[in-house]
DNA sequence: GATAGTGTTGAAAACTTTTTCAAATTTATA
DNA sequence: TATAAATTTGAAAAAGTTTTCAACACTATC
């Protein structure tokens, strides 16, 4: 086993100083052709690569981005990470991923850990619990220390930082408008409890669409689900006790569950009920019927977040005044679940 | 903006030496009660936290695990990462994730990058290209440098290292045996090209099951797909040109595509054809009909890989002789796609 | 032959932390 | 009071790198 070789070891072997070795490897004209060649040959032979930890310490830069997300098994977050990785790779950055598991405490612990020198900046999306608590002190602390943070999707409006979001309100509005344009006016909504910022915004978009088309809002057609894992009973009840001709669901899970419940009750999709979901993941693509859904351009979201962060890291002046919020465009992917 | 405070700064402020500060914060009995209290109060006030990069350099340990996987948008890999994160978190390790994008070159670059001091050990799954090339020099090099590597799922048999796998052969055998036990004997196989190790093993399991039940092997019922993205045409052709009563597909995508093709051709699942897939992800769960599939216990896979790596990192002696290969149990999840 | 100039090398500091060992101070003992 | 012992503090080295500046050797110029 041959352990990694250091400048010191090379210097000793060749009986020169560490500085000479360092400069030779950087092809500094300060060092004579002869010495340079000798050192480089030796370094190549022993496959010398500078120790990145030492460089990090010296340069006070780690060339590493910390990403904190609630869960990685969600297609949405996994795809955003793909986008982040893509740009990070291109620009020579590594990506440390930490999962908050939707827990406030884990989010805080992970942030504090990474903030102690391991990374140059954060890209993050808030956990449910953090959104509920509205406690963002850990984030402002990090920002105060001069470490840039880019928030995406689940962002805190109270925090001054760069942000990448979609216009959830508008996207929902457009999806519902699409249904209205098809001639539907009894449209149900399956949403989440309001403390989930995106759920709330999508609900508002739904309401706005109805209002602007002078369709009365029927509270009995609005379902707000708390327990994601056991949503099927509630959804089945909604379908059983009401009649409507379309559903707007704020995520894939609710949409596919609605399809399954409809099947069970003998309702045909899209003949009896049209359904639009949110997020274009595996479920929407491979469900039968496949689901018309709002695509969020997750890849682009990740890419933009990474670009914004790296730009801030590599620009000298810290213009704290000019935080940007970038809105990524969405589009409706039409599939089989709508007429 | 208050930047992170260092021992040096504290020492200067309090007019003591750096060593005194360091020892005080570690509650060393060497330092007088008085000084200790003073230092700790000051450190608390300024929220001192040791710089982890400096510690890494000093200790030659980063408390970070490098994970290299082909893609993160695959539910399988995302779930394994969840398992890794879970254990890593528990044991105080961070996780750096790098994506090879199924490319050999990217895998090599990522490994070399991380091997230069950033991490203590690797957990990895080979890219398709690497499996095809059978070039594992980058992995043996890292191992030779004394950095432990745990491979999972897509492993290289030629490399001596710890491994976590499932018994793909056995799992496939059991799935096909399940179909045979139901009374089917015309069973089609939808698999991948043989250089994908898991595809090959699952194909072997299929063949073994047929043989051990004295069912003649019908080559026309065996489809090996190269281009995952455009598999639907080939699968439709298989269904159109042959009659059989069951399908064993080596992944979720092939299984759900088979269902869609069958629907298109007016075949009923499971009445006309029973289908078993591999991997228990979103697709299998939310497809209509939902898909009977082989669950790989991905979470456990990730957890075991992390445990094996950390054990090796924290055990003093390097018993290179005793590399373990751990086989994670699989089980069939029965759903609607089988009778 | 002395001075300036050029070319080449190395010592030392910096980044931050921990730890060893020596030095300084205080207290106890004879 | 002098000496030994105990307590408390600090200097220095170590990890691996880069960079500045000083030092040295040599050649060219007057």
């Amino acid at each position: 086993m041959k352990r990694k070789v250091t400048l010191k070891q090379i210097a000793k072997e060749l009986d020169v100083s560490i500085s000479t070795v360092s400069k030779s490897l950087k092809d500094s004209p300060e060092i004579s052709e002869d010495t340079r060649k000798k050192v480089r040959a030796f370094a190549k032979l022993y496959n010398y690569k500078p120790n990145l930890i030492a460089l990090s310490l010296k340069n006070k830069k780690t060339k590493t981005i910390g990403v904190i997300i609630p869960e990685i098994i969600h297609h949405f977050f996994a795809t955003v990470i793909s986008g982040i990785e893509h740009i990070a790779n291109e620009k020579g950055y590594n990506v440390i991923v930490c999962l908050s598991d939707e827990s406030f405490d884990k989010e805080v612990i992970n942030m504090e850990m990474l903030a102690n020198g391991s990374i140059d900046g954060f890209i993050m999306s808030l956990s449910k619990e953090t959104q509920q608590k509205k406690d963002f002190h850990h984030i402002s602390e990090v920002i105060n220390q001069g470490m840039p943070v880019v928030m995406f999707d689940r962002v805190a409006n109270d925090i001054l930082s760069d942000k990448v979001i979609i216009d959830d309100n508008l996207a929902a509005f457009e999806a519902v408008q699409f249904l209205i344009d098809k001639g539907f006016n009894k449209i149900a909504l399956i949403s989440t409890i309001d403390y989930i910022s995106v759920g709330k915004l999508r609900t508002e978009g739904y309401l706005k669409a109805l209002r602007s088309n002078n369709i009365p809002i029927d509270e009995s057609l609005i379902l707000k689900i708390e327990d994601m894992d056991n949503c099927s009973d509630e959804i089945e009840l909604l379908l059983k006790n009401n009649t409507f001709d379309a559903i707007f669901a704020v995520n894939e899970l609710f949409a596919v569950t609605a399809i399954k419940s409809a099947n069970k009750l003998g309702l045909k999709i899209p003949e009896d009920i049209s359904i639009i979901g949110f997020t274009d993941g595996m479920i929407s693509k491979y469900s039968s019927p496949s689901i018309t859904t709002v695509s969020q351009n997750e890849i682009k979201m990740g890419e933009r977040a990474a670009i914004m962060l790296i730009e801030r890291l590599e620009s000298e002046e810290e213009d704290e005044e000019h935080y940007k919020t970038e809105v990524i465009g969405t589009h409706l992917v039409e599939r089989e679940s709508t007429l």
Side-chain angles (χ1 to χ4, degrees), chain A residues 3-12 21 48-49 51:
Chain A
R3 282 231 131 78
K4 295 238 73 164
V5 69
T6 67
L7 289 185
K8 204 180 186 179
Q9 286 160 27
I10 298 179
K12 200 174 169 191
V21 178
Y48 170 79
K49 295 272 167 55
N51 179 310

Side-chain angles (χ1 to χ4, degrees), chain A residues 76-209:
Chain A
F76 171 77
F77 289 117
T79 315
V80 174
I81 291 197
S82 283
I84 295 173
E85 271 274 349
H86 171 219
I87 297 295
N89 238 260
E90 224 168 58
K91 309 260 183 185
Y93 283 76
N94 277 317
V95 175
I96 288 194
V97 175
C98 287
L99 310 180
S100 67
D101 243 337
E102 302 285 13
S103 138
F104 173 77
D105 289 341
K106 276 204 183 174
E107 190 176 292
V108 173
I109 290 172
N110 280 327
M111 275 198 94
E112 286 181 349
M113 167 121 271
L114 294 185
N116 293 326
S118 309
I119 61 164
D120 295 339
F122 280 103
I123 296 179
M124 68 182 302
S125 194
L126 297 172
S127 80
K128 269 185 201 160
E129 224 186 323
T130 309
Q131 288 189 101
Q132 201 170 353
K133 273 190 135 158
K134 289 186 198 290
D135 180 348
F136 310 124
H137 77 274
H138 51 306
I139 304 174
S140 42
E141 230 161 62
V142 162
I143 293 176
N144 264 327
Q145 278 168 22
M147 183 170 282
V149 174
V150 177
M151 304 220 264
F152 74 91
D153 197 55
R154 302 196 199 158
V155 304
N157 289 322
D158 307 1
I159 293 284
L160 278 178
S161 79
D162 290 318
K163 286 164 196 156
V164 186
I165 52 172
I166 60 163
D167 190 337
D168 283 284
N169 190 314
L170 178 65
F173 176 89
E174 287 174 351
V176 175
Q177 186 65 51
F178 174 89
L179 291 171
I180 294 171
D181 289 344
K182 292 267 178 194
F184 305 131
N185 54 23
K186 298 186 73 174
I187 301 171
L189 169 71
I190 309 180
S191 184
T192 58
I193 309 286
D194 276 346
Y195 62 73
I196 303 288
S197 61
V198 294
K200 190 176 173 187
L201 292 169
R202 291 171 197 170
T203 300
E204 285 168 12
Y206 161 88
L207 295 173
K208 194 162 78 182

Side-chain angles (χ1 to χ4, degrees), chain A residues 110-318:
Chain A
N110 280 327
M111 275 198 94
E112 286 181 349
M113 167 121 271
L114 294 185
N116 293 326
S118 309
I119 61 164
D120 295 339
F122 280 103
I123 296 179
M124 68 182 302
S125 194
L126 297 172
S127 80
K128 269 185 201 160
E129 224 186 323
T130 309
Q131 288 189 101
Q132 201 170 353
K133 273 190 135 158
K134 289 186 198 290
D135 180 348
F136 310 124
H137 77 274
H138 51 306
I139 304 174
S140 42
E141 230 161 62
V142 162
I143 293 176
N144 264 327
Q145 278 168 22
M147 183 170 282
V149 174
V150 177
M151 304 220 264
F152 74 91
D153 197 55
R154 302 196 199 158
V155 304
N157 289 322
D158 307 1
I159 293 284
L160 278 178
S161 79
D162 290 318
K163 286 164 196 156
V164 186
I165 52 172
I166 60 163
D167 190 337
D168 283 284
N169 190 314
L170 178 65
F173 176 89
E174 287 174 351
V176 175
Q177 186 65 51
F178 174 89
L179 291 171
I180 294 171
D181 289 344
K182 292 267 178 194
F184 305 131
N185 54 23
K186 298 186 73 174
I187 301 171
L189 169 71
I190 309 180
S191 184
T192 58
I193 309 286
D194 276 346
Y195 62 73
I196 303 288
S197 61
V198 294
K200 190 176 173 187
L201 292 169
R202 291 171 197 170
T203 300
E204 285 168 12
Y206 161 88
L207 295 173
K208 194 162 78 182
L210 295 190
R211 270 194 231 102
S212 74
N213 288 273
N214 296 314
I215 299 174
I217 287 156
D218 180 351
E219 288 292 341
S220 64
L221 296 187
I222 296 178
L223 178 59
K224 291 193 181 171
I225 289 173
E226 174 137 30
D227 181 7
M228 301 277 280
D229 295 332
N230 298 304
C231 61
S232 64
D233 294 348
E234 290 188 66
I235 291 178
E236 208 172 314
L237 233 57
L238 173 77
L239 282 159
K240 209 182 286 180
N241 297 338
N242 299 277
T243 57
F244 40 81
D245 34 37
I247 298 175
F248 172 57
V250 301
N251 58 41
E252 280 191 297
L253 179 65
F254 293 167
V256 75
T257 307
I259 288 180
K260 295 218 164 223
S261 295
N263 277 341
K264 211 164 159 188
L265 297 171
L267 295 165
K268 286 223 166 263
I269 312 292
E271 291 80 359
D272 297 329
I273 302 177
S274 282
I275 297 183
I276 294 184
F278 215 106
T279 297
D280 184 20
M282 291 295 130
I283 295 179
S284 301
K285 209 170 288 160
Y286 293 110
S287 152
S288 297
S290 57
I291 303 174
T292 298
T293 194
V294 177
S295 165
Q296 293 156 287
N297 275 316
E298 297 96 330
I299 287 276
K300 198 173 168 194
M301 201 159 196
E303 288 177 345
R304 288 305 307 166
I307 290 172
M308 283 171 94
L309 182 63
I310 292 174
E311 264 177 10
R312 209 165 267 280
L313 289 176
E314 299 188 346
S315 84
E316 290 311 303
E317 354 76 58
E318 319 188 2

